[in-house]
Amino acid sequence: MTGVRGYFHPKTATGAASLIPAPPWRYSGDLLTVEYRTDPARVGELLPEPLRPAGEDPGAVALIWADWQSCSASGQELLDPVLAQYKEAFAVVRCTYRGRTYTRCVHIWVDKDFAIARGLHQGYPKKLGSIHQTRPHPYGPAPRIGPGARFGATLAAADRRLAQAVVTLREPSPTNGFVNAHPMAHHRWLPSVEKGKGLALDELIESGAASFEGGQPWTGDADLELFEAPTEELARLEVREPIAAYYRQVGVVWDGGRLLESGTSGAE
């Protein structure tokens, strides 16, 4: 008899069918970020114990579209692009834990199953969605990175459009915004299989990039609309005041996180 192998389900004799490989996971991507302010109470209701709203600008939100290519350490997935390419859109806010400021992803949609599996491992609340964004290109009608370049972005899930934006670049920027500029504070939750036993897994973890490189950020303005949907709550983070929009190309390596505490979230 031999043991089954694989980093994630399904585990098999060889491990080749595992939905995701072991970290490190490497990413190359184009990010469109739209920052705005909402009702701070709507942010606060998404922060379980022991997290608290950020002390400064607690209603700040970033809605981010990302067009990714990702791979394991070997890079072999890049040569079979269906295993590497995916898109996502996600909303992040800021919070504090023991006096330190963190970023937390409160809503996220992706279009590939392997991205959902990675999110479960990292504490991202990933769901399936339909995500699209304009890609830059140096030739033809696609936008070139520079003043006046315009990018569209859309997000839909369960046959409903949830968000759409048009970003117009204005000038180079020293940053890619401030809301998504901190380590992530996420919860890893798994209900017990036995009824009435609560959570079998309840961890607050810190997560971030093991390494990062990025191109020149550009800033500009955005027209952003959010839409109501029967089974989604993104629109509760309504746009009260625009802050800024950004475009940047990045490269990131993720290679694990750090346990902050366990069994204290009070999640149901």
Side-chain angles (χ1 to χ4, degrees), residues 27-31 68-69 176 212-215 248-252:
Y27 302 79
S28 300
D30 289 53
L31 304 185
W68 292 115
Q69 296 186 84
N176 199 45
F212 174 88
E213 58 183 334
R248 194 180 194 187
Q249 293 182 314
V250 302
V252 181

Side-chain angles (χ1 to χ4, degrees), residues 28-111:
S28 300
D30 289 53
L31 304 185
L32 280 175
T33 300
V34 181
E35 291 185 338
Y36 68 93
R37 293 183 177 92
T38 192
D39 180 354
R42 294 289 175 87
V43 173
E45 70 185 20
L46 295 171
L47 301 177
E49 294 289 344
L51 303 179
R52 295 288 184 269
E56 182 180 350
D57 217 346
V61 179
L63 185 56
I64 303 166
W65 279 264
D67 190 352
W68 292 115
Q69 296 186 84
S70 65
C71 62
S72 59
S74 70
Q76 63 184 5
E77 296 88 347
L78 298 174
L79 302 181
D80 191 359
V82 70
L83 302 177
Q85 296 175 359
Y86 74 101
K87 296 184 289 293
E88 68 184 2
F90 55 104
V92 298
V93 300
R94 293 176 309 137
C95 59
T96 60
Y97 171 74
R98 295 187 176 179
R100 185 178 183 186
T101 300
Y102 287 88
T103 299
R104 183 176 178 88
C105 180
V106 293
H107 297 292
I108 181 168
W109 295 264
V110 300
D111 62 1

Side-chain angles (χ1 to χ4, degrees), residues 90-151:
F90 55 104
V92 298
V93 300
R94 293 176 309 137
C95 59
T96 60
Y97 171 74
R98 295 187 176 179
R100 185 178 183 186
T101 300
Y102 287 88
T103 299
R104 183 176 178 88
C105 180
V106 293
H107 297 292
I108 181 168
W109 295 264
V110 300
D111 62 1
K112 289 289 181 66
D113 57 359
F114 63 80
I116 287 184
R118 286 195 304 221
L120 291 174
H121 181 63
Q122 297 168 306
Y124 284 88
K126 292 189 175 183
K127 302 174 73 172
L128 279 177
S130 175
I131 303 101
H132 297 278
Q133 65 190 79
T134 307
R135 293 169 174 162
H137 200 277
Y139 304 105
R144 296 155 172 77
I145 305 304
R150 302 179 76 218
F151 296 82

